[in-house]
Amino acid sequence: MKRTKKYLSLMLTVLMVLAIFVGCASNQPQDNTAEPTAEPAITPEATATEEPAPQETDIQDADADSYLNVLLNSEPSSLDVAKFLDTYSRSVMYNILEPLTRIQNGVVTGAGAETWEVSEDGLTYTFHLRDNKWSDGQAVVAGDYLYALQRQADPANAWPLASDMFSIVGFEDIFGGNADMSTLGVTAPDDKTLVVTLNSADTGFLTNTDIFPCRKDYVEQYGDQYGADADKVIGCGPFVLKEWNHSSSLVFEKNDQYWEADAVKLTKYTSHIMEDMNAKMSSFENGSLDYINVSNIDYINKFSADSSLNSKKQSAARTFIIVFNCEDSVFSNQKIRLAFSLALDRETMAEIITGGTGTAATGLVPEECNVGSINFREAAGDVIGKLQNENPDVKALLIEGMEEAGLGSDPSALTVKFAWGATTADARTYSELIQQMWQEALGVNVELEFNDSSTHMSNINSGNYQMASTSWGANPEPWFQLSRWANAKGGQSRWVNEEYTNLVKQGVSAQDETERTELYRQAEEMLLSEAAIAPCYWTGSIRFSYSYVKNFSDNVFDTTGMKYLYTQGR
Amino acid sequence: MWKYILKRLGYMLLTLLAVVSITFLLVHTIPGDPFTSMVEDLPEETRQLYMEKYGFDKPLIVQYVRYITQLLTGDLGASLRYPGRKVGEIVAQYAPVSASIGGLALFMGVVLGLTLGILAALKQNRWPDRLVMVIALLGTAIPTFVIAAVLQYALTVTWPVFPTTGYGTWKHLVLPVTCMCVSPLASYARYMRSSVLDTANQDYILTAEAKGVDRFHIVTRHILRNAILPCITMICVSVGGIFSGSFIIEKIFAIPGLGKYFISAINDRDYSVVLGLNVIFTGIYVMAMLLSDILLMLCDPRLRLSNDK
């Protein structure tokens, strides 16, 4: 008996020790690297050195044999211009294909096109192609760009990102199966010229659109499988895809046929596909990866303490948003929505949810967005702060709204539901934080709902929610984010407002920067005071790199890919 | 015996059909579809076009019949998330990876586990027994992801002996195989120990001892032969599972295996891949069960007799 007791106590001790292990593991933050978050507010002992911007194009001091190992967060879907659907594929395509234009240091720069003209009315873009070659030596011609656009418009391909191109004449009708391919507003009068006609003037056209070329003979040879493997795709970009080990790695080598091959110093790079956060961080720590974006505060503190690493704060130009369903019986009332939006303590959210790397949002559009040469955020100011000043008593605002909506005047009798698109421990912590903010400031009852992201997105898109968390990426011009609420459905908020739609439409076609800024400013202010959404914070991350990695692009919107990176003194 | 196997094959097909039908229904009942989960704010017309292209706009029963017909021709369909990849090719590409790691881990787990289990039973209540049981307890209690995370950090960052992630050389195999063999090792050790102890207390062992058979022959000819029978079933079931891989290990070590692929297909609502992989997993599993029964019959004459009746 005595012996049994001894063993029992031993076993219990072992179990307790194990419980500590398990507890630690489940408390570990979830993978934050996929959606990076800005501003390392809490790194007092940071000794990692900041490096200088902007990206250079004339490089003299590169290692003779520059190579890099980089991270790719997920397997690319396809490298077919008319089938791809995620950012991972797009990031590969920037490196193996040559789009007409690229964004470099925040500015639209000629790439496949050397120059271009825009007609007076802003409707016709005439691109003059430069001499570039496919990796097999064949010349890249205007017809290759035309062919790619035709394939993207072809309803048989059902390209999920087709709506990006709807501003081109005929594209939407052809894609919907209501018009013939010959009506597409794109022509190639000769091998060096591509003419694109738009439905209406679109100042965001070149910043929001990627027009890649595509080789007809390859598509015809491989059919459905085109773009699914390294040997079933051909490129004309700075690099050639040599190997694609699915779900594991992609190996790229410099393309000697590339028009700017002299500027490309990297002879080889490998993208390693990893999804587990600890694996990514360990890989960086032991040098298997040469740089990494981190938004997990523990790792930020750890890497910041290492003086041999370079660090750079990076915005993700993405806004974390809470959307309100404006067709819901409660949230159809503007005052109720506004009260819920203003009750949020954005500073606290940015500090806790992003681990101190995010910035509290003062509007929808992130700080990096410009209208031509005007910084939009500086021009538009702190919209949220202004609304907060105008409505100091959010509870009174809520009660007013409840009375208007016929919901009585007792907030404690009101129960609403807030949905979150993840089922992780972090998701629970963060949503409980927001729940608490609402309950304390407004005295309402907030119920929480957790779903995996597919279910969550499906619920939002079908209007099956009251309040839901989501996030929206920005493009260089504010148009991209603002237009999400200017469609026939009223965006995910189902907030249909003709005045708003007109403001955005006028903004897009306004050629004058100041006028455009003002229209966008009015639109954003309307979206936020009508409270179709509650923007909460802008996400970001810290990029850590070994000191031999040089010449990063520090503009979040840049599409130069790996082209100008190199190593020196590895 | 042949009649029995034929009967079992018939049941197998029925099981497969049931599993396919249930999975089909489940996959199509969960909210979300492959397209909304792939693209932010997909315009409704694009979604419609996509649904039409893949026939998802048709009534469920029509889709079901179409799928079953397609299955009968041996076509498992193509991925929606990764255009241009067929389910059959995905299996051919990813399954060997999972199987190499899972197979090695199972082999090591079984060999070591059985050995330790026998050792523990023969030295019952002495220190080897206690040691084995503590190992078995730890192996069962510590979650694989903890072992993996600790080993990964210790042996790839602190002491960089092995590569952190990836697949290709034998060095890539060491850590994942080690992590994956802990759990089978622990359960086989425990199972074998109790099985051996159970057998050792049977009357026929006593008879053998009374007849003066020496200890070595009692253990090898009488105890082990009988004690290993229950483990055969377990091993066959485990073999059926090695192709489906381990989601956790594959994610942590970034191994391009089927386990990770299957989970991401579910999250992406990649219907045809989820269904196709499920058909294959079920097929392998049912085959493994059948195999285990046949093996048992070969090893145990009693079962043969009862089935022939």
Side-chain angles (χ1 to χ4, degrees):
Chain A
M1 189 66 203
K2 212 173 165 191
R3 264 175 98 182
T4 336
K5 259 190 183 162
K6 220 167 85 188
Y7 286 121
L8 197 70
S9 62
L10 183 76
M11 244 171 73
L12 280 174
T13 320
V14 172
L15 277 175
M16 270 154 65
V17 173
L18 286 175
I20 296 170
F21 265 110
V22 179
C24 288
S26 61
N27 281 339
Q28 273 171 8
Q30 296 300 312
D31 177 6
N32 287 338
T33 40
E35 195 190 281
T37 28
E39 212 113 36
I42 17 179
T43 48
E45 76 277 56
T47 48
T49 39
E50 288 257 334
E51 38 170 299
Q55 198 169 34
E56 308 272 330
T57 53
D58 184 22
I59 301 143
Q60 307 294 346
D61 55 350
D63 290 341
D65 189 23
S66 271
Y67 67 93
L68 284 175
N69 286 300
V70 304
L71 173 70
L72 191 63
N73 282 310
S74 191
E75 163 88 348
S77 55
S78 166
L79 300 178
D80 182 346
V81 290
K83 300 250 174 81
F84 80 99
L85 45 86
D86 53 29
T87 52
Y88 317 110
S89 312
R90 198 191 289 263
S91 72
V92 171
M93 286 159 73
Y94 283 134
N95 290 308
I96 63 165
L97 289 172
E98 191 65 350
L100 277 183
T101 55
R102 290 181 189 264
I103 300 175
Q104 188 179 331
N105 295 321
V107 181
V108 176
T109 319
E114 192 163 18
T115 55
W116 60 94
E117 295 112 38
V118 188
S119 63
E120 283 276 301
D121 54 8
L123 292 179
T124 310
Y125 285 69
T126 309
F127 296 95
H128 304 285
L129 269 52
R130 69 171 89 233
D131 293 325
N132 190 23
K133 283 183 181 147
W134 292 94
S135 57
D136 64 354
Q138 201 169 313
V140 179
V141 294
D144 296 332
Y145 289 92
L146 171 66
Y147 178 63
L149 282 164
Q150 287 173 338
R151 290 196 65 229
Q152 290 173 334
D154 187 348
N157 290 322
W159 185 40
L161 305 176
S163 60
D164 289 356
M165 301 285 182
F166 281 180
S167 55
I168 299 174
V169 165
F171 201 105
E172 189 170 0
D173 284 336
I174 299 168
F175 187 71
N178 307 318
D180 188 75
M181 190 59 80
S182 59
T183 59
L184 187 69
V186 187
T187 53
D190 60 66
D191 278 356
K192 290 274 161 226
T193 317
L194 188 79
V195 183
V196 179
T197 320
L198 305 185
N199 289 312
S200 56
D202 178 0
T203 50
F205 180 62
L206 289 182
T207 54
N208 294 318
T209 317
D210 295 311
I211 302 179
F212 293 107
C214 183
R215 269 272 288 275
K216 194 173 182 177
D217 53 337
Y218 264 73
V219 175
E220 281 169 356
Q221 185 179 346
Y222 293 108
D224 268 355
Q225 308 222 308
Y226 175 74
D229 280 300
D231 57 349
K232 291 175 187 143
V233 66
I234 184 166
C236 58
F239 299 95
V240 180
L241 178 62
K242 282 286 173 190
E243 280 174 42
W244 183 359
N245 308 305
H246 290 297
S247 301
S248 183
S249 64
L250 293 98
V251 181
F252 300 84
E253 277 173 24
K254 182 179 166 173
N255 177 9
D256 292 324
Q257 304 282 344
Y258 184 57
W259 68 271
E260 207 188 6
D262 286 348
V264 180
K265 301 299 176 197
L266 213 52
T267 52
K268 182 185 170 182
Y269 78 91
T270 308
S271 292
H272 300 273
I273 301 168
M274 291 179 208
E275 290 173 15
D276 184 69
M277 191 182 70
N278 291 325
K280 294 177 194 177
M281 299 301 155
S282 297
S283 296
F284 173 66
E285 210 176 333
N286 67 15
S288 308
L289 293 175
D290 295 313
Y291 63 88
I292 195 164
N293 280 51
V294 188
S295 58
N296 175 285
I297 195 64
D298 297 328
Y299 280 105
I300 289 178
N301 287 335
K302 181 174 185 177
F303 295 151
S304 293
D306 184 345
S307 57
S308 68
L309 297 175
N310 286 345
S311 73
K312 177 78 188 173
K313 186 186 78 191
Q314 281 208 308
S315 160
R318 179 168 273 275
T319 317
F320 177 89
I321 295 166
I322 292 170
V323 283
F324 301 110
N325 182 356
C326 298
E327 284 177 357
D328 178 75
S329 56
V330 177
F331 290 98
S332 53
N333 183 283
Q334 177 263 340
K335 284 181 179 143
I336 296 181
R337 293 196 301 264
L338 188 59
F340 272 85
S341 169
L342 297 182
L344 296 168
D345 178 355
R346 289 170 168 80
E347 294 289 341
T348 307
M349 286 172 87
E351 199 180 311
I352 294 178
I353 301 181
T354 70
T357 60
T359 314
T362 53
L364 166 67
V365 180
E367 290 161 315
E368 293 73 24
C369 294
N370 292 322
V371 180
S373 58
I374 303 169
N375 180 278
F376 179 74
R377 204 65 264 156
E378 278 169 24
D382 182 355
V383 183
I384 300 283
K386 195 177 141 213
L387 285 167
Q388 271 162 342
N389 289 338
E390 286 168 7
N391 302 281
D393 188 351
V394 286
K395 196 166 181 177
L397 182 69
L398 173 75
I399 294 172
E400 216 177 301
M402 284 176 68
E403 282 166 353
E404 276 180 22
L407 295 165
S409 55
D410 179 15
S412 65
L414 184 68
T415 302
V416 291
K417 199 175 250 182
F418 175 48
W420 192 282
T423 52
T424 57
D426 280 353
R428 284 175 199 278
T429 315
Y430 302 154
S431 53
E432 277 166 17
L433 173 78
I434 299 171
Q435 177 189 41
Q436 199 184 339
M437 285 175 185
W438 280 324
Q439 292 187 341
E440 274 174 17
L442 303 172
V444 293
N445 303 305
V446 179
E447 286 174 358
L448 301 176
E449 184 184 329
F450 303 94
N451 285 308
D452 73 317
S453 74
S454 289
T455 309
H456 184 71
M457 288 310 291
S458 159
N459 283 344
I460 294 182
N461 289 343
S462 57
N464 179 23
Y465 76 101
Q466 282 191 300
M467 297 188 285
S469 69
T470 184
S471 72
W472 270 116
N475 269 26
E477 288 246 348
W479 169 85
F480 184 75
Q481 281 184 315
L482 293 171
S483 67
R484 299 290 135 173
W485 284 268
N487 59 21
K489 201 175 78 179
Q492 295 175 319
S493 313
R494 305 185 161 242
W495 173 73
V496 185
N497 187 311
E498 209 175 317
E499 202 183 328
Y500 175 81
T501 310
N502 285 336
L503 277 174
V504 177
K505 275 193 182 147
Q506 283 169 28
V508 173
S509 52
Q511 303 286 330
D512 180 66
E513 288 176 3
T514 323
E515 188 193 348
R516 200 153 81 229
T517 310
E518 177 56 20
L519 288 161
Y520 289 151
R521 190 196 65 75
Q522 286 176 23
E524 192 195 50
E525 193 175 294
M526 180 181 252
L527 183 67
L528 300 193
S529 61
E530 281 283 319
I533 56 167
C536 301
Y537 54 83
W538 297 307
T539 62
S541 63
I542 314 263
R543 183 191 60 227
F544 289 97
S545 61
Y546 287 96
S547 55
Y548 52 76
V549 191
K550 304 286 180 194
N551 210 21
F552 283 104
S553 142
D554 281 328
N555 188 296
V556 59
F557 302 118
D558 275 9
T559 57
T560 44
M562 302 290 294
K563 193 170 154 181
Y564 297 118
L565 262 70
Y566 66 96
T567 64
Q568 187 226 322
R570 187 201 258 278
Chain B
M1 177 135 165
W2 288 112
K3 204 174 129 199
Y4 169 75
I5 294 176
L6 272 179
K7 202 167 83 184
R8 285 292 302 267
L9 280 173
Y11 284 142
M12 221 177 92
L13 286 177
L14 278 180
T15 316
L16 267 179
L17 184 71
V19 168
V20 171
S21 309
I22 294 170
T23 322
F24 186 87
L25 202 67
L26 281 177
V27 166
H28 286 272
T29 344
I30 44 173
D33 58 62
F35 324 113
T36 27
S37 69
M38 289 187 295
V39 184
E40 289 181 331
D41 200 25
L42 189 73
E44 191 50 35
E45 62 259 45
T46 312
R47 192 172 158 272
Q48 282 305 329
L49 198 66
Y50 223 113
M51 298 296 264
E52 273 168 38
K53 182 183 169 188
Y54 289 100
F56 294 133
D57 54 335
K58 305 239 165 35
L60 208 55
I61 183 74
V62 178
Q63 292 184 46
Y64 177 73
V65 171
R66 199 190 56 172
Y67 185 73
I68 296 290
T69 333
Q70 182 193 318
L71 259 191
L72 289 177
T73 62
D75 183 4
L76 290 165
S79 171
L80 308 168
R81 178 71 176 74
Y82 299 100
R85 301 192 201 170
K86 290 199 161 298
V87 177
E89 289 163 13
I90 291 170
V91 173
Q93 189 168 15
Y94 292 74
V97 177
S98 288
S100 66
I101 290 171
L104 262 176
L106 181 66
F107 177 75
M108 290 185 51
V110 169
V111 171
L112 289 175
L114 292 185
T115 317
L116 289 178
I118 296 167
L119 185 76
L122 297 181
K123 304 277 178 194
Q124 196 192 2
N125 290 334
R126 273 177 283 167
W127 71 264
D129 182 26
R130 307 240 163 81
L131 185 70
V132 170
M133 282 306 102
V134 168
I135 295 173
L137 180 71
L138 291 178
T140 326
I142 307 179
T144 321
F145 64 89
V146 175
I147 302 177
V150 170
L151 282 184
Q152 190 181 50
Y153 196 82
L155 294 177
T156 76
V157 180
T158 316
W159 301 285
V161 187
F162 298 110
T164 319
T165 58
Y167 180 79
T169 66
W170 68 269
K171 277 193 160 187
H172 287 106
L173 293 176
V174 177
L175 291 183
V177 167
T178 311
C179 297
M180 272 181 80
C181 81
V182 171
S183 169
L185 187 151
S187 39
Y188 281 105
R190 290 164 63 91
Y191 208 77
M192 195 59 191
R193 177 181 177 270
S194 55
S195 189
V196 168
L197 287 178
D198 197 38
T199 319
N201 289 328
Q202 297 288 329
D203 290 343
Y204 56 81
I205 303 293
L206 197 66
T207 315
E209 275 172 0
K211 281 195 322 194
V213 181
D214 64 278
R215 179 81 179 147
F216 180 76
H217 281 104
I218 290 182
V219 172
T220 49
R221 290 217 185 132
H222 299 280
I223 299 187
L224 288 190
R225 176 151 186 202
N226 284 292
I228 204 128
L229 287 178
C231 290
I232 290 182
T233 321
M234 267 178 80
I235 294 171
C236 286
V237 172
S238 311
V239 168
I242 61 170
F243 292 94
S244 54
S246 159
F247 165 63
I248 295 166
I249 292 295
E250 287 177 5
K251 188 170 178 236
I252 292 178
F253 293 102
I255 296 160
L258 265 193
K260 199 174 68 174
Y261 201 98
F262 186 53
I263 300 291
S264 61
I266 296 176
N267 287 333
D268 294 336
R269 307 285 191 268
D270 198 339
Y271 297 149
S272 44
V273 173
V274 176
L275 277 167
L277 291 185
N278 220 355
V279 169
I280 288 176
F281 292 161
T282 317
I284 293 175
Y285 191 82
V286 186
M287 283 296 283
M289 296 293 280
L290 178 63
L291 197 70
S292 87
D293 285 352
I294 295 174
L295 275 179
L296 276 180
M297 277 199 295
L298 293 177
C299 296
D300 192 342
R302 287 168 300 185
L303 284 171
R304 228 160 19 214
L305 284 174
S306 68
N307 277 316
D308 281 344
K309 268 178 202 166

